[in-house]
Amino acid sequence: MSSSTSLRKFTIRVPCTSANIGPGFDVMGISWSLMLTLRVSHAPYLSSPTAPSPAPRPEITYTGEGASEVPLDAYKNLTTRVALYVLRSHGVPSFPPSTTIAVHNEIPFGRGLGSSGAAVIAGVLLGSALGRLNLSQSRLLDFALMVERHPDNVAAALIGGFVGSYLRTLPADALDPASVPLSEVLPEYPPDAGEQWGRTPPIPPVGIGHWVRYGWAEEVKALVVIPQFEVSTAKARDCLPKEYSRADVVFNLQRLAVLTTALARSPPDADLIWEAMQDKLHQPYRSELIPGLPRIISTLTPKTHPGLLGICLSGAGPTILALHTHGHEHIARDIEAIFAERGVRCRWEVMGVTREGSTVVEEAD
């Protein structure tokens, strides 16, 4: 490498997301304007990307949310492990020489804003870009679903906007992603791992997840009130029942059928949206993990807070998502007050939908 001019440089941006949106449990997601950003540079592979060569270790720096928690070892960091999975699935055994990855993260960890989904999408985009694989959105989603297993956050982060998704019923002879232990997809790399460690990962089937983007009214904005405590996704799933009554399932299906159209209508119908964002499948059970949740969801309405359209958990919580057209300060103050009565501090932000989704932008020579 004669000079820095031989380095290839590009930037990856992945938005945060809210999943579920009330009745759309494990089905719907929306991408917002808080971003995970990777600024990447690397030298060319010494020969072809698939040729055997020493395994160079990328240099990672990290700023922003979670900077003190994220491992900077490329064989322990989630994003770079996903990137290596994508590369090795295409016969590329290692990162390019002189790879540097400067990460800046605006997405809080463990708050229901899709931080892990964003890290996974950043990883599949990083792997595709480093290997010049030119993977389609559908194939990128396949690799993400081998890691994340639920499509709502990752589909919204990748595609952008208001997105509905599902896992396709695969042919009987296809690999079932749910049957593959995550340890085989993203193996832990022990200190004495050689260059052959993890070089034959399971290849995802084609077309694991399907998605559709719904319309979104320009007037609708998001207020997120972020409590200063974390709720792990695993704990939030453990508190859910194994079975539901037919009445509760029908309740959610009815509202889901209305909500996907109601949020695209201009001007928004507040009474219609508020009722359509009610839920009986996950929020009632997660209230034990989130102090004040039942009161927030039941007492803040379009009548008490003009401009409010609907209110729900963002993902598994504890972040509260309030869709609105105006009046966000009044809404935020009252949610903060309910949390404060229970000794919980919060911060809040107003965000808009990012319709573009994730991007990879090459820096000009």
Side-chain angles (χ1 to χ4, degrees), residues 83-314:
L84 193 59
Y85 167 54
V86 173
L87 287 169
R88 289 183 168 177
S89 294
H90 291 84
V92 182
S94 63
F95 295 99
S98 304
T99 298
T100 64
I101 305 168
V103 182
H104 181 69
N105 180 35
E106 299 174 343
I107 309 172
F109 288 179
R111 304 296 204 278
L113 287 168
S115 59
S116 64
V120 169
I121 291 298
V124 296
L125 290 169
L126 178 62
S128 180
L130 289 174
R132 298 185 183 270
L133 304 176
N134 298 315
L135 298 181
S136 67
Q137 280 189 326
S138 176
R139 196 61 180 146
L140 290 166
L141 185 58
D142 289 339
F143 279 95
L145 289 172
M146 289 294 287
V147 180
E148 188 72 1
R149 308 293 166 100
H150 298 283
D152 43 10
N153 281 119
V154 289
L158 178 63
I159 308 303
F162 181 24
V163 175
S165 57
Y166 64 84
L167 297 176
R168 187 167 66 91
T169 302
L170 298 170
D173 60 348
L175 175 69
D176 178 8
S179 70
V180 180
L182 191 58
S183 60
E184 293 184 18
V185 179
L186 299 181
E188 291 286 346
Y189 290 84
D192 59 348
E195 290 182 19
Q196 299 305 313
W197 186 268
R199 290 224 175 166
T200 55
I203 308 299
V206 174
I208 299 174
H210 286 185
W211 57 270
V212 64
R213 181 191 282 144
Y214 305 115
W216 187 265
E218 293 287 347
E219 301 97 321
V220 181
K221 299 178 180 62
L223 165 70
V224 290
V225 181
I226 307 170
Q228 298 306 296
F229 67 91
E230 297 185 16
V231 171
S232 76
T233 302
K235 184 179 288 188
R237 286 195 175 274
D238 286 346
C239 70
L240 300 178
K242 300 298 184 186
E243 297 179 347
Y244 293 96
S245 71
R246 178 185 296 182
D248 284 353
V249 172
V250 170
F251 179 96
N252 271 48
L253 288 174
Q254 289 172 335
R255 281 150 184 79
L256 181 60
V258 172
L259 184 62
T260 53
T261 297
L263 286 172
R265 288 185 172 180
S266 182
D269 183 328
D271 292 333
L272 182 70
I273 293 171
W274 190 86
E275 180 59 39
M277 285 180 63
Q278 302 304 302
D279 160 74
K280 289 191 175 182
L281 298 187
H282 68 107
Q283 292 180 162
Y285 304 99
R286 288 170 168 166
S287 61
E288 65 187 65
L289 304 177
I290 303 164
L293 176 62
R295 185 175 163 197
I296 290 167
I297 289 177
S298 63
T299 62
L300 275 75
T301 71
K303 290 183 173 60
T304 63
H305 294 74
L308 178 65
L309 299 174
I311 195 163
C312 64
L313 277 181
S314 177

Side-chain angles (χ1 to χ4, degrees), residues 30-56:
I30 307 175
S31 63
W32 307 116
S33 50
L34 293 180
M35 291 285 169
L36 173 65
T37 302
L38 281 65
R39 302 190 188 280
V40 184
S41 67
H42 68 89
Y45 283 97
L46 298 178
S47 53
S48 72
T50 57
S53 62

Side-chain angles (χ1 to χ4, degrees), residues 43-68:
Y45 283 97
L46 298 178
S47 53
S48 72
T50 57
S53 62
R57 190 177 293 258
E59 177 185 325
I60 303 172
T61 60
Y62 201 105
T63 60
E65 294 280 350
S68 63

